[in-house]
Amino acid sequence: MATNVDKILKETEKKLQPQFERIEQIAFKNQKKVLQAFIDMRVSSQCFAGTTGYGYDDVGRDTLAKVYAKVFGGEKAIVSPILTCGTHAITTVLYGLLRAGDTMLSVTGLPYDTLHETLFGKGNSSLEDYGVKYKQIDLNEDSTFKLDEIYSAIKEINPKVVYLQRSRGYSSRKALSPYDMKELFDNVKKLSKDCFIVVDNCYGEFVDDIEPTDVGADVIVGSLIKNPGGGLAPTGGYIVGSEKAIYLISTRYTNPSLKLEVGSFEMGYRLFYQGLFLAPHTVAQALKGTALVGQIMQDKGYKVIPSNQEKPEDIVKSVVFNTAEELIKFVQTVQTVSPIDGYVLPLAWDMPGYQDKVIMAAGTFVGGSSIELSCDSPIRAPYIAYFQGGLTYEHVKAFAEKLIEIY
Ligand SMILES: *Cc1c(COP(=O)(O)O)cnc(C)c1O
């Protein structure tokens, strides 16, 4: 006998059919792209073997980098469990490209919270501490670029790095599509031949059928415990870009003499390969899940960002609540449907790298992985839950079922 909850779920899914079809089409394109890269780069089971110590001639590491470069449309890549997280990978990129006296121009406003201490401060080895200058131009209210302001700033200050963050971070803006970056990138390249366009691509991989590198970004960078790890990669980060940019970054990633010649991982690389292979499908599962939850909350009268009528550009859905209590309840409900630590109650705490107290639900197989069903939120007004992931659509649907009962 169908309950009322079942009925609502069915009706909501019916509404979402056109969106699901679009998501599946993009996943199909990306799956073929990844498959072809595996074949072209001659991936064999030999590539899975681990190495120890210096890791000279580590075939698994080097081939994985070639596959990433191919998939993400760059000349070269660094893909490594030695990059501890997305923040570390982004920081490595910035220190590799910027020198004392250079300027970094962020054109999407203030970068992600965990990068603030990379950018600012004295006596903390920040970029500012090293004499790198920083300038920022915010997005317009509707999350578009302030093109004229950006172009005059480039003419005036000639930045070494033009920096974009594709996903929204902890803000209420929208995520950006690579298609919306093309005009900007073309003009930046006309105005400044030797600046590097760097995109923090976290949460954006495989959401669209192209990546920022395909429209002219010099470097894209992200975390392996988000989209491209497909839920299997146990840790790490990736950096894909032009030969020139990756050379500079590699001198900082290890050191000027070692560059990409070293780096071992005894566990072996199978999970990185298998995760990347699954990633287009996993991202599609997450996108369908966030669409379902977004629709349910929207139908209940809550504001969700992006609204469920819009095409998503990252795997995050924000739900705006009126009070901290409602927000905390939502995050705690995610935890109750988590396969790991599903019996514990998350509370808000002072996390390293974040300015406000943060509450996180992450009952994940890989610690802190946010391609898995997870939800996090700083406790500050407006009370926004940033909800993402789900390795399978069915898992997110189990969460959606709870939401129908609670709200
Ligand atoms: C997750 C994320 C990062 C990096 O975060 P880590 O937790 O260090 O991997 C950077 N930028 C954005 C927009 C992100 O979502």
Side-chain angles (χ1 to χ4, degrees):
M1 197 180 71
T3 64
N4 196 32
V5 173
D6 289 335
K7 208 173 126 223
I8 294 171
L9 268 179
K10 259 216 176 76
E11 280 165 7
T12 312
E13 283 182 316
K14 210 168 179 182
K15 260 190 247 179
L16 293 170
Q17 272 322 305
Q19 289 198 44
F20 285 4
E21 254 169 55
R22 184 182 42 71
I23 290 166
E24 282 158 16
Q25 272 166 16
I26 290 173
F28 183 45
K29 274 192 176 174
N30 284 327
Q31 185 66 72
K32 287 191 287 185
K33 181 159 80 172
V34 171
L35 173 62
Q36 198 56 48
F38 272 64
I39 296 166
D40 291 347
M41 295 302 136
R42 306 170 75 93
V43 175
S44 68
S45 55
Q46 219 183 320
C47 299
F48 301 160
T51 59
T52 57
Y54 296 119
Y56 294 134
D57 300 315
D58 185 322
V59 175
R61 176 195 71 209
D62 291 346
T63 306
L64 185 64
K66 286 180 192 159
V67 172
Y68 262 76
K70 179 92 187 175
V71 167
F72 290 111
E75 290 168 353
K76 283 216 141 184
I78 303 171
V79 186
S80 175
I82 293 164
L83 292 169
T84 55
C85 60
T87 303
H88 185 195
I90 295 165
T91 300
T92 305
V93 169
L94 296 175
Y95 281 92
L97 299 178
L98 291 156
R99 300 290 177 273
D102 288 345
T103 304
M104 164 177 169
L105 173 67
S106 170
V107 298
T108 49
L110 191 61
Y112 193 68
D113 292 46
T114 57
L115 289 161
H116 298 177
E117 285 174 71
T118 296
L119 301 176
F120 315 118
K122 288 282 181 202
N124 63 345
S125 300
S126 68
L127 287 165
E128 182 184 9
D129 204 20
Y130 278 99
V132 173
K133 290 177 270 184
Y134 171 83
K135 194 173 156 53
Q136 145 186 340
I137 296 172
D138 293 336
L139 291 168
N140 288 313
E141 279 296 311
D142 63 353
S143 303
T144 55
F145 295 113
K146 290 191 171 137
L147 289 173
D148 293 337
E149 211 174 302
I150 295 171
Y151 300 149
S152 26
I154 290 174
K155 280 184 223 155
E156 193 189 316
I157 61 180
N158 193 26
K160 177 61 71 64
V161 164
V162 172
Y163 183 87
L164 290 83
Q165 181 180 302
R166 181 169 172 186
S167 184
R168 74 200 72 179
Y170 292 128
S171 80
S172 46
R173 74 154 162 101
K174 284 176 217 156
L176 304 168
S177 158
Y179 288 102
D180 296 334
M181 298 174 188
K182 187 169 187 328
E183 181 190 351
L184 171 68
F185 290 178
D186 287 346
N187 287 321
V188 168
K189 289 287 158 178
K190 270 182 216 147
L191 291 169
S192 171
K193 291 268 172 300
D194 20 71
C195 89
F196 295 101
I197 299 171
V198 173
V199 180
D200 168 359
N201 206 30
C202 282
Y203 286 141
E205 299 90 353
F206 301 125
V207 171
D208 230 317
D209 56 355
I210 59 168
E211 300 291 336
T213 13
D214 296 314
V215 290
D218 296 287
V219 178
I220 58 171
V221 48
S223 163
L224 300 190
I225 63 167
K226 294 182 179 173
N227 306 17
L232 292 186
T235 186
Y238 78 90
I239 304 165
V240 172
S242 66
E243 183 133 16
K244 188 174 158 199
I246 297 294
Y247 169 80
L248 288 168
I249 295 161
S250 70
T251 62
R252 172 75 196 205
Y253 160 68
T254 54
N255 95 324
S257 64
L258 302 171
K259 297 187 279 284
L260 301 180
E261 300 296 326
V262 293
S264 65
F265 192 58
E266 189 175 17
M267 269 180 69
Y269 298 95
R270 180 177 61 83
L271 294 173
F272 298 94
Y273 286 98
Q274 200 170 350
L276 177 64
F277 184 71
L278 291 177
H281 177 73
T282 310
V283 168
Q285 296 292 292
L287 285 170
K288 286 160 85 171
T290 47
L292 178 69
V293 169
Q295 192 66 49
I296 284 166
M297 294 310 281
Q298 190 170 298
D299 290 347
K300 285 181 181 286
Y302 291 93
K303 182 177 178 192
V304 303
I305 307 168
S307 88
N308 248 49
Q309 283 73 45
E310 289 170 275
K311 178 169 166 284
E313 295 300 343
D314 63 9
I315 62 159
V316 186
K317 186 69 91 176
S318 315
V319 186
V320 186
F321 292 98
N322 303 313
T323 63
E325 288 67 38
E326 272 185 313
L327 166 76
I328 289 168
K329 181 77 197 156
F330 185 87
V331 178
Q332 289 175 340
T333 305
V334 174
Q335 191 76 29
T336 65
V337 294
S338 296
I340 314 303
D341 297 332
Y343 59 93
V344 305
L345 189 71
L347 301 171
W349 65 301
D350 294 302
M351 270 190 70
Y354 295 87
Q355 268 85 48
D356 298 279
K357 272 195 190 325
V358 175
I359 183 164
M360 283 198 170
T364 54
F365 290 91
V366 170
S369 166
S370 46
I371 183 64
E372 298 182 46
L373 180 61
S374 54
C375 186
D376 43 74
S377 185
I379 308 293
R380 67 180 176 222
Y383 299 101
I384 304 177
Y386 300 87
F387 150 77
Q388 67 269 317
L391 294 179
T392 71
Y393 173 69
E394 291 76 15
H395 183 199
V396 190
K397 194 166 160 179
F399 171 52
E401 196 174 61
K402 284 250 165 128
L403 292 175
I404 297 171
E405 287 162 3
I406 292 172
Y407 288 92

